[in-house]
Amino acid sequence: MIMSSVVFIISAIYIAKNLKENKIQEKEFENIANIVEEDINIQDETNYTENTQNEIKIEQKNNDYKKRKLNELYNINSDFIGWISIENTSLNYPVMQNGDYYLRKNFYKNYSSYGTPYLAKQCNVKTSDNLIIYGHHIKNSQMFGVLENYKKENYYKNYSIVNFETIDENKNYKIFAVFKTVIESEQGFKYYAYIDLKDKNMYDSFVNKCKEISLYETNQIPIYGNKIITLSTCEYSTQNSRLVIVAYQI
């Protein structure tokens, strides 16, 4: 009974510590998001009318404002390259570039079990045809754990647009495939090897394979030349499995 009590107490302490650390890490990401999103919907109240020209001016102000905010993050950490989000979901995070350094580091380069989403080291945010972004699969739809929801077709239908914004440009991508694959296996699909897709045959081969193993039909097919973004996270139904979301620029 004494041993059981000791084990129970140690387990309770461990769980409480993890919960506390998770709250801290979630709060840190929330604070970073607030830097980007605070007062983003700027309106010119003195001259605002319903005409299209004023709406365009207001949108430009919003875009300029957000670009300044992204620059603020870059000034804090020059590894910052962009912001990934899916509207009305919990996916709303900075993206870093420095190999897999951010696998266990937060935005401020301190240890974090959450890590921070990061671009594959082989990718160049400006020139690569396929931007591969990795993120941890955290419970309760935190980090890239939210991608687990895309196993259900109805979720995809409601949240099919991925936004990736850098200091230079803002792009939207339409999801065209959702699949699982086992890495380090001869049968597994090496999606991470498809980065530069200048060759049409290679581009089509990548798209066709993604469509072939997709969990469901999206009726979306990118055309050669469309830039692609790939979101990758761990998947726990099989050892060394990955859940992958692939989208093309629209």
Side-chain angles (χ1 to χ4, degrees), residues 181-185 234-236 238-242:
T181 188
V182 178
I183 62 171
E184 301 176 3
S185 164
C234 291
E235 198 278 329
Y236 299 113
T238 308
Q239 189 175 7
N240 292 328
S241 181
R242 297 291 182 268

Side-chain angles (χ1 to χ4, degrees), residues 6 10 79 122 140 170 199 212 225 231:
V6 170
I10 292 174
D79 287 338
Q122 300 92 340
N140 300 322
N170 184 15
D199 180 84
E212 176 190 333
L231 309 183

Side-chain angles (χ1 to χ4, degrees), residues 29-41 62 65-73 80 82-83 92-94 165:
F29 279 117
E30 184 180 325
N31 291 339
I32 295 169
N34 287 339
I35 292 175
V36 176
E37 295 172 352
E38 184 181 8
D39 298 327
I40 193 63
N41 293 313
N62 285 331
Y65 178 84
K66 191 164 187 180
K67 186 174 291 187
R68 290 198 303 272
K69 290 298 184 177
L70 294 177
N71 269 299
E72 282 185 30
L73 294 183
F80 170 76
W83 195 273
N92 190 35
Y93 295 105
E165 185 165 4

Side-chain angles (χ1 to χ4, degrees), residues 185-202:
S185 164
E186 291 185 4
Q187 292 76 33
F189 176 38
K190 295 179 174 58
Y191 60 93
Y192 44 81
Y194 293 82
I195 293 173
D196 296 314
L197 303 172
K198 300 293 189 297
D199 180 84
K200 187 177 185 302
N201 289 334
M202 188 176 185

Side-chain angles (χ1 to χ4, degrees), residues 67-244:
K67 186 174 291 187
R68 290 198 303 272
K69 290 298 184 177
L70 294 177
N71 269 299
E72 282 185 30
L73 294 183
Y74 178 80
N75 290 333
I76 295 172
N77 185 341
S78 59
D79 287 338
F80 170 76
I81 56 168
W83 195 273
I84 190 81
S85 63
I86 299 177
E87 190 174 5
N88 296 323
T89 76
S90 58
L91 200 152
N92 190 35
Y93 295 105
V95 178
M96 318 302 286
Q97 183 162 36
N98 189 355
D100 59 0
Y101 175 83
Y102 288 93
L103 190 65
R104 294 296 179 189
K105 297 286 186 179
N106 66 13
F107 179 84
Y108 301 101
K109 299 185 178 181
N110 298 317
Y111 174 81
S112 166
S113 60
Y114 274 37
T116 309
Y118 64 93
L119 191 67
K121 63 182 178 181
Q122 300 92 340
C123 291
N124 183 302
V125 71
K126 293 183 178 181
T127 62
S128 294
D129 301 304
N130 181 13
L131 299 178
I132 302 173
I133 300 175
Y134 297 104
H136 280 301
H137 187 152
I138 305 296
K139 292 180 179 180
N140 300 322
S141 292
Q142 296 300 313
M143 298 298 291
F144 278 19
V146 68
L147 301 185
E148 182 75 14
N149 296 322
Y150 284 93
K151 289 180 178 180
K152 299 176 181 178
E153 186 176 357
N154 283 340
Y155 193 88
Y156 153 77
K157 289 179 178 178
N158 290 322
Y159 308 104
S160 61
I161 304 297
V162 178
N163 178 259
F164 184 54
E165 185 165 4
T166 67
I167 293 170
D168 298 318
E169 53 191 350
N170 184 15
K171 295 180 179 179
N172 286 321
Y173 298 79
K174 179 76 171 181
I175 296 171
F176 70 89
V178 178
F179 63 84
K180 299 187 296 180
T181 188
V182 178
I183 62 171
E184 301 176 3
S185 164
E186 291 185 4
Q187 292 76 33
F189 176 38
K190 295 179 174 58
Y191 60 93
Y192 44 81
Y194 293 82
I195 293 173
D196 296 314
L197 303 172
K198 300 293 189 297
D199 180 84
K200 187 177 185 302
N201 289 334
M202 188 176 185
Y203 187 96
D204 290 344
S205 174
F206 173 74
V207 169
N208 291 338
K209 184 62 176 180
C210 290
K211 296 289 292 180
E212 176 190 333
I213 62 176
S214 184
L215 299 178
Y216 42 80
E217 177 56 62
T218 63
N219 296 315
Q220 298 293 324
I221 302 177
I223 300 172
Y224 173 63
N226 287 137
K227 298 288 186 178
I228 290 173
I229 196 166
T230 300
L231 309 183
S232 175
T233 193
C234 291
E235 198 278 329
Y236 299 113
S237 64
T238 308
Q239 189 175 7
N240 292 328
S241 181
R242 297 291 182 268
L243 177 63
V244 183

